[in-house]
Amino acid sequence: MVKKASMLLVMLAMLVTSFASPSFAYTSSNWMGSIANTTSVASLSIPGTHNSGALYEPIYGTAKNQDLTIAQQLSIGVRYLDIRTRHFQNGFTIHHGAVYQNQNFDDVLNAVLTFLKNNPSETVIMSVKEEHTAAENTRSFEETFNWYVSKNPSKWVMTDHIPTLGEARGKIVLLRRFPAAQLPKGIDATGWQENTTFTIKKNANLKIQDYYKVTDKSKKWNDIQSMYNEAKTSNPTWLYINYTSGYKPGLFGIPNIREIKNDINPKVTSFFTTNTKGRFGISAMDFITSDHASKIIATNF
């Protein structure tokens, strides 16, 4: 009897250890499943991508922002997507500026909804912004967006407050960067400002760093670090969105995206190698890798 009791205690200890250790508790595909339902999305450190669908460019360095597809981004732990859509023929095509990215909004949604079906503990925050020039439409941008939502309405969180994980699991949380007549329609980010750090104070309070036309790389990194440090220590109910992305303006205004990511991305890696625990908000990155994502995710545990 004593021997059996001892064996049971050993097995119980092993079980407790496995659940206590983050390395056993989650993978990159289901890391949110190890976090309580009552936790606000604003309380997390979340890996994200800037211009998430931008995988193609006519001239090297000018339009591509990611090496990984949407599905691959989600599989490494990305939970914030920045989707830029052109309104064309009553549908949405994915663009970076004038450059069509060889996919449409249905392709993005299919990747996200398939991921969420396979990983129902997760949520995806999706920023939706109108990009490039609208053409050949008979309805508004909002009406076309509503048409996409109507295909899977139960898979969208359209409330204008920052949800808890319990409210958002298995669903897409809309961060809306387009005007809407029918409200609420997601977290209102229509006050987005260009090339700076700013706050939006509505039903959801947001602070966003998006200095993207980078003429001073030291300033860019200082802005990023300042946001990380503020997110860790201040305003616990605010959603912090920190764009580590940017481009260096070149001759005739031609952007150089990779020069900025080559400088900033290693600094992000170093930051999260040192800062291993805390709430740092959303990091929206260019050319994110699994190493970046895993380091950001680990700060939640």
Side-chain angles (χ1 to χ4, degrees):
M1 182 69 71
V2 173
K3 186 175 180 180
K4 286 184 178 180
S6 297
M7 288 177 65
L8 285 171
L9 286 172
V10 170
M11 291 173 66
L12 181 60
M14 290 173 65
L15 187 62
V16 169
T17 301
S18 70
F19 280 103
S21 170
S23 62
F24 287 97
Y26 70 86
T27 69
S28 60
S29 290
N30 65 11
W31 63 268
M32 287 179 162
S34 295
I35 300 172
N37 279 341
T38 53
T39 304
S40 170
V41 169
S43 299
L44 303 175
S45 300
I46 298 175
T49 48
H50 157 249
N51 245 321
S52 307
L55 278 75
Y56 302 97
E57 57 193 358
I59 302 171
Y60 183 82
T62 61
K64 180 176 178 176
N65 294 100
Q66 306 298 332
D67 286 326
L68 303 178
T69 66
I70 299 291
Q72 290 168 334
Q73 291 171 36
L74 296 172
S75 73
I76 67 168
V78 167
R79 298 293 180 268
Y80 172 85
L81 297 176
D82 175 9
I83 305 301
R84 313 290 178 97
T85 60
R86 181 191 186 196
H87 194 199
F88 180 64
Q89 296 181 347
N90 291 331
F92 290 163
T93 53
I94 306 303
H95 271 248
H96 183 177
V99 182
Y100 174 52
Q101 292 299 316
N102 298 333
Q103 58 182 320
N104 301 326
F105 197 45
D106 270 328
D107 300 313
V108 172
L109 293 180
N110 287 340
V112 174
L113 294 175
T114 297
F115 173 81
L116 291 173
K117 180 180 178 181
N118 293 333
N119 300 278
S121 64
E122 308 304 286
T123 185
V124 174
I125 303 164
M126 184 183 292
S127 167
V128 178
K129 175 182 181 288
E130 184 169 8
E131 190 89 345
H132 195 44
T133 306
E136 301 177 36
N137 299 296
T138 60
R139 58 190 179 190
S140 70
F141 186 95
E142 181 185 8
E143 287 169 335
T144 294
F145 177 79
N146 292 345
W147 175 74
Y148 281 104
V149 171
S150 70
K151 298 179 183 184
N152 292 283
S154 66
K155 293 299 183 180
W156 290 85
V157 177
M158 291 297 209
T159 52
D160 57 6
H161 66 269
I162 299 168
T164 64
L165 278 178
E167 294 174 289
R169 293 195 197 278
K171 300 177 183 180
I172 302 168
V173 176
L174 175 64
L175 184 82
R176 178 173 53 83
R177 290 184 63 180
F178 60 90
Q182 297 175 339
L183 299 174
K185 187 168 273 123
I187 298 169
D188 187 349
T190 54
W192 202 284
Q193 298 178 31
E194 295 295 316
N195 203 40
T196 189
T197 299
F198 58 96
T199 57
I200 297 174
K201 293 185 177 181
K202 297 190 177 179
N203 285 350
N205 290 326
L206 314 175
K207 187 158 186 179
I208 299 157
Q209 182 282 121
D210 191 18
Y211 170 40
Y212 59 81
K213 189 177 180 180
V214 182
T215 55
D216 183 341
K217 287 183 278 192
S218 294
K219 171 179 164 38
K220 175 65 175 177
W221 177 239
N222 287 338
D223 288 354
I224 293 167
Q225 277 191 296
S226 177
M227 280 280 286
Y228 281 149
N229 292 330
E230 184 176 328
K232 186 177 183 181
T233 60
S234 306
N235 303 317
T237 63
W238 289 25
L239 183 64
Y240 282 82
I241 307 175
N242 203 354
Y243 275 75
T244 71
S245 54
Y247 69 86
K248 181 180 178 180
L251 194 63
F252 305 116
I254 296 172
N256 187 329
I257 294 169
R258 284 173 176 80
E259 180 169 339
I260 302 306
K261 78 95 176 174
N262 288 341
D263 181 76
I264 297 297
N265 282 16
K267 290 182 171 69
V268 174
T269 298
S270 296
F271 181 89
F272 285 110
T273 300
T274 303
N275 296 271
T276 57
K277 190 171 179 60
R279 170 240 195 181
F280 296 101
I282 293 167
S283 297
M285 301 187 68
D286 279 343
F287 298 99
I288 198 168
T289 67
S290 59
D291 184 55
H292 298 131
S294 63
K295 282 181 168 60
I296 295 167
I297 292 165
T299 65
N300 292 294
F301 300 99

